[in-house]
Amino acid sequence: MWPSILILGLVSLQRLAELIIARRNTRALMARGAREIGADHYPVMVALHASWLAGLWFLAPGHSVQPIWFMLFVVLQLGRLWVLATLKGRWTTRIIVLPGAPLVREGPYRLLSHPNYAVVIGEIAVLPLAFGLPLFAAVFSILNGLMLWLRISVENRALKTAMFLK
């Protein structure tokens, strides 16, 4: 029971830290003239992620941790850190566009257009699997897939438009 609680506690603290970083970065970007795009779907995305984490807190304690899945989750966290380190002050949980700013093409962005979303896709599936919850992983993976389909299309349009707003 304690390993699952420890893992969920660390993931919860990580998410809270990310929200603090995202809020700070959002404010700084907005002060520089950035604009938020797609704000209408943001509360749905937050609710999805909060429900995922709350559901894990409800279901995972008492389940043993599957080492292979957990190690994959750890690798995904390294990917998340790579994304944050690459984007620095431009990383947020919202779609914030700074007109005239060049697209980031370093780090994981050399390999993927949306590496953060690749990490999120993995996390949504892998952490529940680490606790032996395949149905939970499948349900939230489908919901997350629908959310990301919308979000990535909105973000791609916003980034394309921003490149022309100098």
Side-chain angles (χ1 to χ4, degrees), residues 9 21 31 57 69 78 86 109 119 146 149 157 163:
I21 292 167
W57 271 105
W69 290 113
L78 296 175
T86 300
Y109 291 86
V119 169
L146 293 170
W149 175 80
R157 281 194 306 272
M163 291 189 317

Side-chain angles (χ1 to χ4, degrees), residues 6-84:
L6 177 63
I7 291 166
L8 290 172
L10 291 172
V11 170
S12 297
L13 287 173
Q14 176 191 22
R15 294 302 192 261
L16 288 173
E18 288 171 0
L19 289 174
I20 292 167
I21 292 167
R23 178 176 282 176
R24 183 194 66 211
N25 290 348
T26 297
R27 286 183 179 155
L29 288 165
M30 298 297 255
R32 292 174 51 202
R35 294 185 310 224
E36 181 176 3
I37 310 295
D40 53 334
H41 75 261
Y42 185 73
V44 176
M45 187 181 75
V46 170
L48 174 73
H49 285 263
S51 298
W52 173 79
L53 191 54
L56 288 174
W57 271 105
F58 181 73
L59 295 172
H63 284 256
S64 60
V65 177
Q66 310 293 316
I68 300 292
W69 290 113
F70 178 68
M71 289 308 298
L72 183 53
F73 183 76
V74 170
V75 170
L76 288 166
Q77 298 322 291
L78 296 175
R80 176 180 296 286
L81 290 173
W82 192 19
V83 168
L84 276 112

